[in-house]
Amino acid sequence: MSVLMPALVMALATNQPDPPIPPNMKEMECAIHKLAIQYGSRYPDKIPVMNPNSLSDALNLWNCSGTVPQKNAKPAKDLISPPSDARNSWFVDTKRGSDAIGKGSIDSPWRSVTHALAHLPTMSDRRTLFLREGTYYLNETISLTAAHSKLTISAYISDKGTEKVTLSGAGGVVTGWNCSNLLPDCKVYEAKVDLPKRGENLAPEVVNQLFANGKRMIRAKYPNADPAVTEGHCFSKPQFANEKCNWLTSTGGNTAQDPGRLVGSVALGPNRGNSPTVGCGKECNSTCATFSFNIYDPPAGHPVYNKPLPGMGWNNNSLFSRFPSPFGRPADMGVAKGDLPRQWKKPSTGIVHTFHSLLWGGWMYRIKDRQDLNITLAYGGYQEARGAQMKTNHYYVENLIEELDVPSEWFFDEDTDTVYLYPNSTEGGFPEVTIPTLDTLISVKDAHDVVIQGLTITQTRATFMEQYEVPSGGDWSIHRGAAVYIEDSHRINVTGCEFIETGGNAVILSNNVTFSHIESNEFYRTGDSGIVSLGMTNGINGMAATYPMNNTIAFNHMHEYGVYGKQTSCYFQSLTANSTVFGNICYNGPRAGFNYNDGFGGAYQMSQNLLFNHVRETADHGAFNSWDRQPYLTRSGVDDGFPDSVKLGLKGSSIVKAQSHITQNFLINGYHAVWPIDHDDGSQFYNDTSNVMVWGGCKNFLGHSKSCDHNLIVYPGIPNRSTNARRCITDGNGVFANQYFKDNQCITGDGIFYSWDHCSINDLDTEVYQTMDNQLFSPNAEFGQTCGAEITFAKWQSLGQDRGSTIANQPSIQQIISLSKEKLSFNP
């Protein structure tokens, strides 16, 4: 099956020159970034901050004079309040409690959370389980079910403040360390451990993270560098002097993995056809006109897809995909001479981290073998949905004992039950070493009215070699798992928590989760995404209550996400309706900050968020990204005009989603980003209103019924802060109606304001391209737009474009800041 890649075609189709970089670039960027830190600090009692310098560092404000510090910063635990009714309270104390004789009182606490949950009295009133200060090493997941409804689990709050409570996915501390002969001079230590082993046939290892004194160590890798910091990143387009790609580069590949068996293909109506107001037909190569997917059974003996996908509701392990088989990925990778100088005694322990060849995400593979300048790959690559050939991809290798050669590296030898560590230092004693064995620390299923607050959640396994699914028509695949797993539950609040160095996703809302709040948490160095909202459907039928709806993601501080997964985000949603995403700060990630993988039922509200420093390690994306290649029949849409007879007889269903709104967000382009708001293939029914977009503008690729209006767009497309020279609005449309660019203020350095793929003065459809009432700014009020030929602004308006618009000289930096504050309704 051949699948075109329209997003890339879109990114390259319009050949426009790079706009000039503003001559006062540094002064302007400093002013904008100072406003950004003020905007990010406007809710000091709601948005948590572990490190008061983190936002200033990310905005590079130390390079600016008169730096505005982040004011009144508080850690997450200090933002929580005592339960409103603490009469029914019980206590757990990992340091001085006892499960044998404890009574659960403040003076006689229990020792473990699992014991406490088993012994809480049953009652209809709200109950509170207070955890006293300390680190709780978990051997099993804390499982909350219907019996735990109306329960609050909280760090203890005293007159002195909230106590520091940490939940760790490591069962305990590793002891018995001795000098190893792996390297001379006792640089490396070893210890015998009793830890779970992997399954058969190169299955993912259980042990894949190690912490020393609470900090994640580096699994023995080459090239050396921590993948969580600048030196370990592969920046796809560096922005500052110390940023580059510190990975190796492959020389291509020649073979493909077994794609498994195509069980069947499904296509379901109604067909949206070529309708300009409902459909997405031939312009999308007929791939967005109806619902369609392929079903693949994994190759025989696959070590990961050998069991039913979790939470999916059926007893088989078939994988649905709108694209070719996620199993049929490249099977080998060429190595340049001299790039991997060491020989590996057991290559099959190794993992390759690499990228989709068009930088649309990251791939991870189990190594099968290595022969001189070629690595054969056992399985992997399904961590990104589209697939491609192995070309000159960047990569690094890890989990190879021969590569353990610098401080902070470690390796676990399953054959001898030996863990090796090259500590940073042993002065003051050997570090406290912990090894996670849990993916999930807290699970909430079939419960309601549960509150989890004031906890630090850390040290979970990395999950990038576990099962992923392709949930819908967007380019992304996702692992249905997280450190806090919430499924089929209602009114669940996670607030005032810190998620630090989790191995995979931090929080997931899976299936029928409603009226829940993930608020005032900080997410730092998560292995994959911060927050995931993920439903499921019966094909096109999304009528059942199997998807997240009416949930709020607010006031979270999310940064340095995607340490392992490179197709990850601060917030990811798929098969979700009526979500509210408000007042969050999101920065420093490999791909889009927020990704909406489909339109589903719509009615999304995204407002007053600050997003910047995204698409640092990938390409062809933006701070916000949406998709809508596949329609769904839901209860959340509006009247679609189709009879029930073409909608599987589903009464009350709609194929037309409710309007969504992206409002008053502060979005700063950078690195390899193209657009701050990237409405990809077929996205429909969006209003992008009153946002401040810096160094990039809006994008509409196919779809219909979108409005980019009342925004401030500042110097879009400049080459040192974006890619492909895209201007105020990019439109690869050409067919679909109700696309508006109106009442915006857009500033360019050359008078080119539009990036349109189908612009011709002889055929400019004013039902498709509707521009009006904009304030356009350029040097000396120049109009440099072309539309198949050079034209004047008067000629442009005579073609029915920019009716009521004006063009004027560029505003000053001070005026730009004033306009920004006005758009954001922000007056610091």
Side-chain angles (χ1 to χ4, degrees):
M1 173 180 162
S2 175
V3 175
L4 296 182
M5 297 181 175
L8 180 69
V9 174
M10 177 64 202
L12 300 179
T14 301
N15 184 20
Q16 291 179 312
D18 283 336
I21 298 171
N24 52 358
M25 176 70 186
K26 180 179 177 181
E27 182 184 357
M28 181 181 301
E29 187 167 54
C30 284
I32 290 169
H33 285 191
K34 288 177 184 179
L35 180 63
I37 197 171
Q38 290 177 303
Y39 194 68
S41 305
R42 69 197 184 284
Y43 296 118
D45 293 323
K46 293 183 178 180
I47 299 178
V49 178
M50 282 188 289
N51 177 2
N53 294 327
S54 58
L55 198 52
S56 297
D57 289 345
L59 289 165
N60 199 37
L61 280 175
W62 309 117
N63 194 37
C64 303
S65 60
T67 293
V68 178
Q70 192 160 6
K71 297 179 180 179
N72 304 317
K74 299 177 184 178
K77 69 181 181 65
D78 291 342
L79 301 182
I80 68 171
S81 301
S84 58
D85 185 354
R87 291 174 298 174
N88 302 314
S89 298
W90 285 265
F91 297 83
V92 180
D93 192 327
T94 188
K95 296 178 180 178
R96 63 183 188 89
S98 172
D99 289 342
I101 62 174
K103 298 178 181 179
S105 66
I106 191 168
D107 296 320
S108 180
W110 293 309
R111 187 175 188 275
S112 69
V113 179
T114 51
H115 178 87
L117 293 175
H119 290 81
L120 283 175
T122 301
M123 59 178 59
S124 59
D125 294 335
R126 174 161 289 283
R127 297 163 292 172
T128 299
L129 186 63
F130 282 115
L131 309 188
R132 300 302 303 269
E133 186 171 10
T135 298
Y136 292 72
Y137 296 108
L138 303 181
N139 290 303
E140 59 182 311
T141 297
I142 297 170
S143 180
L144 305 179
T145 63
H148 302 106
S149 295
K150 293 188 177 181
L151 174 67
T152 295
I153 297 181
S154 176
Y156 181 63
I157 307 169
S158 70
D159 294 339
K160 298 179 180 179
T162 305
E163 295 182 351
K164 177 72 171 178
V165 175
T166 299
L167 301 185
S168 165
V173 177
V174 178
T175 58
W177 292 94
N178 297 293
C179 288
S180 171
N181 60 7
L182 198 63
L183 290 178
D185 302 324
C186 201
K187 294 176 180 176
V188 173
Y189 289 75
E190 63 182 55
K192 291 292 184 179
V193 291
D194 182 14
L195 293 169
K197 306 292 183 63
R198 76 178 76 198
E200 298 179 354
N201 193 22
L202 298 179
E205 65 284 346
V206 175
V207 175
N208 57 23
Q209 294 223 101
L210 180 146
F211 291 75
N213 291 338
K215 184 181 185 303
R216 178 164 49 202
M217 296 290 100
I218 305 161
R219 195 156 59 160
K221 70 183 285 284
Y222 190 82
N224 293 322
D226 186 346
V229 303
T230 295
E231 290 73 20
H233 291 334
C234 179
F235 289 92
S236 50
K237 183 178 179 180
Q239 189 160 299
F240 300 108
N242 62 332
E243 297 171 340
K244 59 183 179 179
C245 182
N246 293 293
W247 297 18
L248 303 171
T249 303
S250 69
T251 60
N254 300 302
T255 58
Q257 298 180 43
D258 183 350
R261 184 173 69 95
L262 178 62
V263 178
S265 298
V266 176
L268 298 171
N271 191 311
R272 294 185 290 181
N274 295 326
S275 164
T277 57
V278 175
C280 186
K282 61 184 180 181
E283 277 294 299
C284 303
N285 221 35
S286 298
T287 58
C288 300
T290 189
F291 180 90
S292 62
F293 59 80
N294 303 308
I295 308 173
Y296 298 94
D297 275 351
H302 198 291
V304 176
Y305 289 85
N306 57 5
K307 54 186 178 295
L309 286 166
M312 296 300 287
W314 59 82
N315 294 319
N316 67 62
N317 58 350
S318 296
L319 183 60
F320 292 1
S321 175
R322 192 175 172 279
F323 310 106
S325 172
F327 306 116
R329 295 296 196 249
D332 73 310
M333 185 182 75
V335 175
K337 187 175 182 179
D339 271 0
L340 294 172
R342 297 185 179 93
Q343 295 299 310
W344 308 326
K345 184 177 180 180
K346 191 176 181 181
S348 60
T349 67
I351 300 288
V352 170
H353 293 247
T354 185
F355 287 97
H356 181 284
S357 56
L358 296 174
L359 294 180
W360 288 353
W363 293 339
M364 287 74 98
Y365 292 92
R366 168 71 59 196
I367 294 175
K368 187 175 183 180
D369 199 4
R370 175 186 171 189
Q371 299 293 331
D372 194 20
L373 299 181
N374 186 266
I375 293 175
T376 53
L377 306 170
Y379 63 89
Y382 45 73
Q383 304 89 350
E384 174 275 333
R386 292 293 294 273
Q389 297 177 343
M390 179 69 73
K391 297 182 180 178
T392 54
N393 305 39
H394 300 302
Y395 74 96
Y396 73 82
V397 295
E398 67 160 340
N399 203 36
L400 295 152
I401 192 170
E402 291 83 2
E403 306 299 347
L404 200 168
D405 60 348
V406 294
S408 296
E409 289 194 336
W410 67 278
F411 179 81
F412 174 52
D413 189 335
E414 289 189 327
D415 295 336
T416 63
D417 292 316
T418 305
V419 61
Y420 298 88
L421 174 65
Y422 193 146
N424 284 320
S425 173
T426 56
E427 292 184 11
F430 201 81
E432 182 179 272
V433 175
T434 51
I435 298 177
T437 57
L438 297 179
D439 300 1
T440 299
L441 303 192
I442 300 177
S443 170
V444 184
K445 293 187 179 182
D446 302 312
H448 63 86
D449 298 287
V450 171
V451 176
I452 300 165
Q453 66 172 20
L455 309 178
T456 294
I457 294 170
T458 185
Q459 300 185 18
T460 57
R461 290 183 61 250
T463 54
F464 57 77
M465 294 305 294
E466 305 298 330
Q467 288 183 343
Y468 279 63
E469 58 192 86
V470 182
S472 57
D475 270 12
W476 292 39
S477 61
I478 191 76
H479 171 63
R480 192 181 288 262
V484 172
Y485 188 100
I486 304 168
E487 184 169 275
D488 296 332
S489 298
H490 313 286
R491 297 181 298 279
I492 311 300
N493 287 1
V494 179
T495 184
C497 294
E498 293 177 349
F499 294 84
I500 302 176
E501 297 189 323
T502 58
N505 304 316
V507 177
I508 188 169
L509 309 179
S510 174
N511 296 343
N512 185 26
V513 178
T514 66
F515 298 102
S516 296
H517 293 250
I518 312 299
E519 293 188 0
S520 297
N521 305 286
E522 184 157 7
F523 300 82
Y524 177 63
R525 289 186 177 176
T526 56
D528 290 324
S529 293
I531 304 170
V532 173
S533 178
L534 178 61
M536 69 176 183
T537 66
N538 182 10
I540 193 175
N541 184 354
M543 297 286 283
T546 56
Y547 56 89
M549 184 170 64
N550 295 322
N551 299 308
T552 299
I553 312 298
F555 305 119
N556 297 288
H557 183 186
M558 303 175 272
H559 52 115
E560 277 73 35
Y561 64 91
V563 172
Y564 301 127
K566 301 306 179 184
Q567 195 178 64
T568 50
S569 56
C570 290
Y571 173 67
F572 169 94
Q573 72 171 40
S574 178
L575 306 178
T576 293
N578 299 72
S579 61
T580 297
V581 182
F582 178 87
N584 301 281
I585 303 174
C586 167
Y587 56 92
N588 286 0
R591 200 124 177 83
F594 295 167
N595 182 73
Y596 291 16
N597 209 54
D598 48 72
F600 198 59
Y604 310 135
Q605 307 292 327
M606 173 186 152
S607 61
Q608 296 190 33
N609 302 281
L610 171 63
L611 282 73
F612 65 96
N613 287 2
H614 297 292
V615 200
R616 299 198 304 173
E617 298 181 76
T618 55
D620 192 22
H621 241 11
F624 169 83
N625 185 239
S626 68
W627 309 83
D628 200 6
R629 292 194 182 107
Q630 294 195 145
Y632 289 90
L633 294 168
T634 76
R635 298 184 186 277
S636 301
V638 297
D639 185 12
D640 59 14
F642 287 102
D644 292 341
S645 59
V646 300
K647 296 189 292 185
L648 309 181
L650 296 172
K651 294 183 177 181
S653 67
S654 173
I655 202 170
V656 176
K657 59 191 61 61
Q659 198 79 16
S660 295
H661 298 271
I662 299 176
T663 307
Q664 289 192 318
N665 299 281
F666 198 160
L667 310 172
I668 304 176
N669 235 21
Y671 294 93
H672 218 332
V674 186
W675 311 270
I677 297 180
D678 178 0
H679 289 305
D680 246 320
D681 309 18
S683 295
Q684 307 170 16
F685 300 107
Y686 277 96
N687 277 61
D688 308 332
T689 305
S690 296
N691 302 284
V692 173
M693 290 180 271
V694 183
W695 321 132
C698 292
K699 173 193 172 185
N700 164 39
F701 186 47
L702 310 177
H704 54 85
S705 302
K706 290 188 291 295
S707 177
C708 178
D709 62 89
H710 296 88
N711 302 289
L712 173 64
I713 302 170
V714 180
Y715 291 103
I718 61 172
N720 59 338
R721 293 296 181 266
S722 63
T723 299
N724 292 335
R726 295 312 164 115
R727 308 309 173 93
C728 313
I729 176 72
T730 299
D731 204 317
N733 180 11
V735 172
F736 302 110
N738 300 330
Q739 310 289 332
Y740 299 99
F741 184 80
K742 62 180 183 178
D743 294 294
N744 296 290
Q745 296 163 314
C746 186
I747 308 162
T748 73
D750 58 3
I752 298 176
F753 299 98
Y754 300 100
S755 298
W756 290 353
D757 286 357
H758 305 280
C759 193
S760 169
I761 58 174
N762 299 317
D763 182 21
L764 193 58
D765 190 339
T766 56
E767 293 298 317
V768 172
Y769 301 108
Q770 302 195 44
T771 60
M772 63 195 76
D773 300 324
N774 297 295
Q775 297 179 47
L776 307 176
F777 300 94
S778 65
N780 303 313
E782 296 174 355
F783 187 74
Q785 190 70 40
T786 60
C787 189
E790 293 186 4
I791 53 177
T792 64
F793 189 57
K795 174 66 174 178
W796 177 252
Q797 290 184 311
S798 74
L799 296 172
Q801 298 303 318
D802 272 311
R803 302 182 301 276
S805 297
T806 61
I807 188 166
N809 197 16
Q810 299 156 300
S812 67
I813 293 175
Q814 183 177 356
Q815 289 171 322
I816 290 172
I817 298 302
S818 296
L819 290 171
S820 299
K821 293 176 182 178
E822 180 181 339
K823 289 297 176 189
L824 299 171
S825 300
F826 176 59
N827 187 20

